[in-house]
Amino acid sequence: MRARARRGLLTAITAASVLALPVVVPLPAGAEADLGMSRSAGTRATEPGLRASGAAVNIAAIKRHLEQLQKIADANGGTRASGTPGHEASVAYVADALRSAGYQVTLQEFEFPFFRDITEPMLKRVSPEAKTYVRKVDFRTMTYSGSGNVTAPVQGVDLVLPPSPRPSSTSGCEASDFAGFVSGNIALIQRGTCPFQVKAELAQAAGASGVILFNEGQSDLIPDDRRGLMGGTLGAPTTTIPVVATTFAAGEELAAAGTTVTLVTNTESDPHRRTRNVLAESRWGDPNKIVMLGAHLDSVADGPGVNDNGSGTAGILETALTMRDMRTRNRLRFAFWGAEELGLLGSKHYVAGLPAAEKAKIKMYLNFDMIASPNHIIGIYDGDNSDATGAPAGPPGSDQIEKFFEDHFTRSDLPYVGTDFTGRSDYGPFIGVGIPSGGLFTGAEGIKTAAEAAAFGGQAGVAYDVCYHKACDTIANINDRALTANAGAITAAALAYARSRKLPGGDAAVFSAPVLPVLPGLGGGAAGLEPDHDHAVVSR
């Protein structure tokens, strides 16, 4: 994907400008006849024709969806995480809207391992000198940790300090490691060799009142980070005591003689919790040629997830409602994934359950995960790997999807940059089975560069979304400019691909770019960007 810099010559968005945005789409050859449209300037479908077909992006309606998702979170403990009442209410809201619009709606249920912190965990050193460790910086609760509130001495278990040059620690892997362990102490255990579950179970059996598992400490292992804060799972809820993971630096501090800490966790575990994907199919179009759009519906447990990913949810939901009565050549399928925040579980379940013949019918997949970040960029997934960053090119046809969005923003005089297929969102399972994929992304925890700030506005040196995976990801966390630009692109893509005789992959056509009225205040420019979500967790 090439980076591109364009400077828009416009002023800030007004409230009125985000209420309704007609989409003017140059469609593939022949599509205009099916839509009952005329052509203007040789290649562009006229705005009146599109208005008659209902293809107008109603940003006010999208904001109403976001407000409803916020209300759902507010009524359900501040979260819409899969496995919680907030997610079930989100499923009902989306499914009801789609059924009312005439879509065939399927709720695909699946089992997943649920875990959450009910209240904020705490790790505090009491002696020899008081220190409070910061959650998600210095420590985090291990998945399937038990609950407890304990203050006790820390006792190291077969530690290797300083660490060996290569991973070698067997700390806590054998019952004999706990010979002489004082019942009631908090076990300090080093990462290495055996699963965390084994270490925690042996510590509990030895009488430990809690467990602190810290990273092993090697500094030169790439990409395996043995010093930073690891995401860790115990595999199953087999321990009842608090178990947390820390950085190597925190663990090394806590290994000092005479250390006493307070450790508090309050958790909920259920390895057999059930949640659902919402799938909606249009009434028209060739069922053997499916154009699929998706966004994850769940939030993290720590917040309402209005940008991540209420924004993508609302964008494709309103696109579906806009196109409810539109007769299309190809079948449209909209997906709202469950349990994405726990490792893309909903999309993985869906793709893994498709027979080969059904997979072959899905000609393309478009993913929209965070499209309104407050300190945004406009990122297009790099289908052809022309940025030469990270993952290789997507399946054949992904490059054409990328080109579609590039042309869209070019003709709209809006800036864009490339974003890598990191595998950290729901396009991953589709790419894994060879389905052409693409989509848009406005940034998560990555830090905005000076070049990006010049291009898109906002603040350099600050995260694209400072509320990423936090309680402050509320309706106030939405950038209307980014939402408007990306919502228009989503609808334009859905309209064009729904009407194309040829789709990405195989004999795919070269699409002309959709055109939107130029939006105020988006600026111009380009640069690289950080990846989006990180769902990686380790078990040993």
Side-chain angles (χ1 to χ4, degrees), residues 103-122:
Y103 285 89
Q104 179 182 337
V105 175
T106 301
L107 301 182
Q108 183 185 45
E109 190 171 273
F110 61 97
E111 188 176 278
F112 76 106
F114 177 82
F115 175 82
R116 67 168 177 144
D117 285 298
I118 298 172
T119 57
E120 190 86 4
M122 181 175 67

Side-chain angles (χ1 to χ4, degrees), residues 286-374:
D286 186 344
N288 294 310
K289 292 183 178 180
I290 294 170
V291 175
M292 194 163 183
L293 292 80
H296 74 86
L297 181 55
D298 62 318
S299 73
V300 294
D302 289 340
V306 178
N307 182 41
D308 180 18
N309 181 37
S311 60
T313 292
I316 69 166
L317 175 59
E318 189 56 31
T319 294
L321 299 182
T322 295
M323 298 182 68
R324 71 186 81 188
D325 296 320
M326 192 173 296
R327 293 185 178 273
T328 60
R329 173 177 284 111
N330 306 309
R331 186 68 56 93
L332 287 171
R333 183 177 295 167
F334 297 89
F336 302 82
W337 305 116
E340 187 269 358
E341 295 290 3
L342 297 171
L344 319 182
L345 300 185
S347 54
K348 286 179 178 177
H349 175 81
Y350 172 79
V351 172
L354 287 172
E358 292 302 313
K359 286 178 189 169
K361 294 176 183 178
I362 302 173
K363 302 304 180 184
M364 57 183 293
Y365 174 73
L366 301 178
N367 192 69
F368 304 100
D369 188 354
M370 302 179 68
I371 63 167
S373 301

Side-chain angles (χ1 to χ4, degrees), residues 67-142:
E67 288 163 0
Q68 287 301 313
L69 294 175
Q70 177 71 67
K71 289 178 181 178
I72 287 170
D74 291 344
N76 291 280
T79 186
R80 299 184 303 101
S82 275
T84 70
H87 185 260
E88 285 301 294
S90 300
V91 166
Y93 175 74
V94 169
D96 288 348
L98 293 164
R99 286 193 191 99
S100 296
Y103 285 89
Q104 179 182 337
V105 175
T106 301
L107 301 182
Q108 183 185 45
E109 190 171 273
F110 61 97
E111 188 176 278
F112 76 106
F114 177 82
F115 175 82
R116 67 168 177 144
D117 285 298
I118 298 172
T119 57
E120 190 86 4
M122 181 175 67
L123 177 62
K124 181 183 294 186
R125 186 175 64 192
V126 177
S127 64
E129 181 180 345
K131 178 177 181 178
T132 299
Y133 292 93
V134 179
R135 182 190 181 202
K136 295 188 177 180
V137 175
D138 303 311
F139 83 102
R140 58 162 53 102
T141 311
M142 297 285 285

Side-chain angles (χ1 to χ4, degrees), residues 438-510:
L440 304 171
F441 170 61
T442 55
E445 81 278 27
I447 304 301
K448 195 169 205 174
T449 67
E452 290 169 343
F456 299 98
Q459 189 173 354
V462 175
Y464 304 114
D465 183 353
V466 296
C467 289
Y468 174 67
H469 283 188
K470 297 178 181 177
C472 58
D473 186 10
T474 65
I475 192 70
N477 197 44
I478 293 295
N479 185 296
D480 282 350
R481 292 176 294 171
L483 182 66
T484 302
N486 285 298
I490 292 170
T491 299
L495 177 64
Y497 284 118
R499 280 301 178 182
S500 177
R501 289 192 177 92
K502 298 179 181 179
L503 295 170
D507 297 323
V510 177

Side-chain angles (χ1 to χ4, degrees), residues 217-289:
Q218 290 78 20
S219 60
D220 59 350
L221 299 181
I222 299 174
D224 190 12
D225 180 5
R226 308 293 280 202
R227 295 184 68 85
L229 180 59
M230 59 194 176
T233 179
L234 301 180
T238 57
T239 57
T240 59
I241 58 177
V243 184
V244 298
T246 76
T247 62
F248 172 74
E252 190 174 38
E253 284 183 349
L254 296 173
T259 298
T260 297
V261 304
T262 295
L263 175 60
V264 180
T265 61
N266 181 18
T267 66
E268 179 184 3
S269 296
D270 181 357
H272 304 294
R273 188 68 60 92
R274 301 191 74 79
T275 191
R276 294 183 284 184
N277 295 323
V278 181
L279 302 164
E281 190 114 334
S282 62
R283 290 173 286 173
W284 294 290
D286 186 344
N288 294 310
K289 292 183 178 180

